[in-house]
Amino acid sequence: MNPKLRATALLVALGTTLAAVYWASGLETGEGPVEAVVQAQHVAQTSRAAANERPEQTVRPAPARGGLDLQRLSRSPSADPSADPFTMRDFRPRPPVMKRPIAKPAAELPPPPPPPPQAPPLPFSYLGKVAEGSDTTVFLAMGDRNLVVKPGEVIDNSYRLEEVSDTAIVLTYLPLTVKQTLPIGAK
């Protein structure tokens, strides 16, 4: 669109708007079509309120013609504190509900003694044995290490090989002097 034609169209639209506003301000505030609709709505609301007869609803008189009923625009203050957006809020979780304590006996028993210390499970696995006369040599695996042990020898200052039989090996856990048995099965 041509800039001169566009400016002319805008000026004509502005002039028309100003003329319509001036003409509307000069009209008498009387019973026109808008006032008739507002009056009909008010009559319908008052008849509904009278039919329901609710005590919390009060019938207000109709506003003067041409005026606004400002009482209908106002709200009653709420008693609910959450309705006020400017009150302080606490977002911490609520404390747990305390249960009624159970009555304790007058003389409480002392706590039971701790269980006695126990030896850890044996870290060995049996690989084999060699018997030469009265001497027996046992081959054990401990993790990735292979051990060659005879009865009476100490392994890592923790275990001592006590006895070797056809079905089991007896070891003593030295820190607690507890005897443990490693089954080997007959071969």
Side-chain angles (χ1 to χ4, degrees):
M1 185 183 250
N2 185 349
K4 285 186 179 183
L5 183 61
R6 182 176 176 190
T8 306
L10 288 174
L11 284 175
V12 169
L14 177 65
T16 305
T17 304
L18 290 175
V21 168
Y22 179 73
W23 176 76
S25 67
L27 291 178
E28 291 182 21
T29 56
E31 184 86 17
V34 174
E35 286 81 12
V37 171
V38 170
Q39 186 68 18
Q41 286 178 351
H42 180 68
V43 169
Q45 287 175 354
T46 55
S47 64
R48 264 189 259 133
N52 292 338
E53 295 185 30
R54 292 187 183 159
E56 65 268 2
Q57 290 182 344
T58 58
V59 178
R60 295 188 179 116
R65 290 188 179 179
L68 290 176
D69 183 12
L70 296 178
Q71 291 179 351
R72 290 185 69 193
L73 297 176
S74 65
R75 293 184 182 173
S76 62
S78 175
D80 183 17
S82 64
D84 186 10
F86 299 105
T87 59
M88 289 192 63
R89 305 221 189 269
D90 187 12
F91 293 101
R92 291 180 290 184
R94 292 186 180 184
V97 177
M98 298 298 291
K99 294 182 180 179
R100 195 178 296 174
I102 299 172
K104 295 181 181 178
E108 288 190 23
L109 298 174
Q118 295 181 351
L122 287 172
F124 306 110
S125 58
Y126 175 75
L127 297 177
K129 69 178 179 175
V130 174
E132 297 176 5
S134 63
D135 290 335
T136 304
T137 304
V138 179
F139 300 97
L140 300 173
M142 184 172 133
D144 59 349
R145 294 175 39 199
N146 292 329
L147 304 170
V148 179
V149 187
K150 293 183 179 184
E153 290 185 4
V154 177
I155 305 167
D156 290 340
N157 294 328
S158 297
Y159 291 94
R160 181 174 53 229
L161 181 63
E162 297 291 333
E163 176 184 343
V164 179
S165 69
D166 289 338
T167 59
I169 298 174
V170 179
L171 296 151
T172 301
Y173 182 63
L174 296 176
L176 297 176
T177 62
V178 175
K179 291 192 177 192
Q180 295 176 295
T181 304
L182 179 67
I184 59 174
K187 287 195 177 188

